[in-house]
Amino acid sequence: MWKYVLKRLLLMIPILIGVTFIVFLIMSLTPGDPAAVILGDQAYAESLAAMREELGLNRPLIVRYGSFLWDLLHGDLSTSYRNKIPVWPQIIDKFPNTVILAIAGIIIALLIGIPVGIISAKKQYSKIDSVSMVASLIGVSMPNFWLGLLLSLLFALKLGWLPSQGMGKGFIPLIKSVILPALTLGTGVAATVARMTRSSMLEVIRQDYISTARAKGVPEGQVTKRHMLKNAMIPNLQKY
């Protein structure tokens, strides 16, 4: 077990390096001048050149990336170009909201995806199965930003039931402010969970111990919960 965990952690190192380098490269090729963002578009050319030199933007890409990695390993994410505030304290300040939103999105995904996958598997080739799989395909294919806009237009602007932005203070305002983003993030994951749950359930349903449990007179609800679902969730947990 520990060897497996250690192997996974070691594999994360080249993946993280590759991802950070690709993002760093894309940001370097993106149009725009950080010096102009800091000093403004009306700044003199001499001032812009001095600021680029101070930020190290005149150095080669690989040198800047190496400096970025070195600072990152020391917990230094530099200072925001736009608001002149260190980046790390801003991340720490917003991290609790991120955790709340991530947990809410996972809960939404599980509450939707697992029941839909179970019903689709037990009603294989029925209209319910077809509708749920089409809905899952749409959920996987729909971009989150588009779904978020549609939900905001309907529930925030049109109906006025939920806020369109911000994090509420207090339990009820917090729940209201989390619903829309959690639905936006959880819908795509729910579609994936539903398809994976359906596939795993179909494999488990055909096993001999399921037929044996039914032959012994075990209620169908207990067969689904204790025998089907528990074994069907193992491949899903391994994939995640």
Side-chain angles (χ1 to χ4, degrees):
M1 179 63 182
W2 289 108
K3 290 182 179 180
Y4 177 80
V5 173
L6 181 60
K7 182 180 178 180
R8 288 292 183 179
L9 292 176
L10 292 176
L11 286 175
M12 287 179 60
I13 297 176
I15 294 174
L16 290 175
I17 293 176
V19 170
T20 54
F21 180 76
I22 292 174
V23 174
F24 193 88
L25 176 62
I26 293 174
M27 294 301 297
S28 300
L29 298 177
T30 301
D33 187 359
V37 173
I38 296 174
L39 300 178
D41 296 332
Q42 305 301 322
Y44 292 106
E46 295 81 3
S47 301
L48 293 174
M51 180 57 67
R52 294 190 192 100
E53 184 68 27
E54 179 182 346
L55 297 174
L57 298 177
N58 296 329
R59 295 180 296 172
L61 175 65
I62 192 66
V63 175
R64 286 187 282 128
Y65 176 69
S67 177
F68 163 75
L69 278 185
W70 179 258
D71 293 338
L72 181 63
L73 291 175
H74 289 78
D76 182 11
L77 298 180
S78 189
T79 302
S80 173
Y81 294 152
R82 190 171 298 275
N83 53 27
K84 313 295 180 23
I85 299 175
V87 174
W88 185 247
Q90 297 182 71
I91 295 177
I92 295 298
D93 182 56
K94 302 300 181 183
F95 184 73
N97 294 343
T98 303
V99 173
I100 292 173
L101 181 57
I103 294 175
I106 293 173
I107 292 174
I108 292 294
L110 296 179
L111 290 178
I112 297 176
I114 292 178
V116 170
I118 293 173
I119 295 173
S120 296
K122 300 192 71 173
K123 302 290 184 179
Q124 188 181 15
Y125 303 130
S126 66
K127 292 183 179 179
I128 296 177
D129 183 27
S130 300
V131 171
S132 61
M133 288 300 99
V134 170
S136 298
L137 180 61
I138 294 174
V140 171
S141 305
M142 182 177 295
N144 285 341
F145 68 87
W146 176 247
L147 177 60
L149 287 175
L150 294 180
L151 293 176
S152 296
L153 287 173
L154 177 60
F155 293 103
L157 299 180
K158 188 74 173 179
L159 300 176
W161 292 352
L162 300 169
S164 60
Q165 61 181 355
M167 185 68 77
K169 302 296 182 181
F171 182 73
I172 299 301
L174 177 63
I175 295 299
K176 287 184 176 181
S177 62
V178 167
I179 290 177
L180 288 183
L183 282 174
T184 302
L185 294 177
T187 300
V189 181
T192 303
V193 171
R195 296 175 70 87
M196 293 173 60
T197 301
R198 177 183 182 274
S199 177
S200 300
M201 285 287 292
L202 288 175
E203 294 181 5
V204 172
I205 286 175
R206 301 185 180 95
Q207 299 300 318
D208 292 338
Y209 61 84
I210 300 297
S211 301
T212 302
R214 286 172 172 164
K216 289 181 177 180
V218 178
E220 185 66 22
Q222 294 186 15
V223 172
T224 301
K225 181 180 178 181
R226 295 184 178 180
H227 300 284
M228 294 184 187
L229 185 59
K230 287 185 178 180
N231 292 287
M233 286 295 101
I234 294 175
N236 293 349
L237 295 175
Q238 290 176 344
K239 291 178 182 179
Y240 279 98

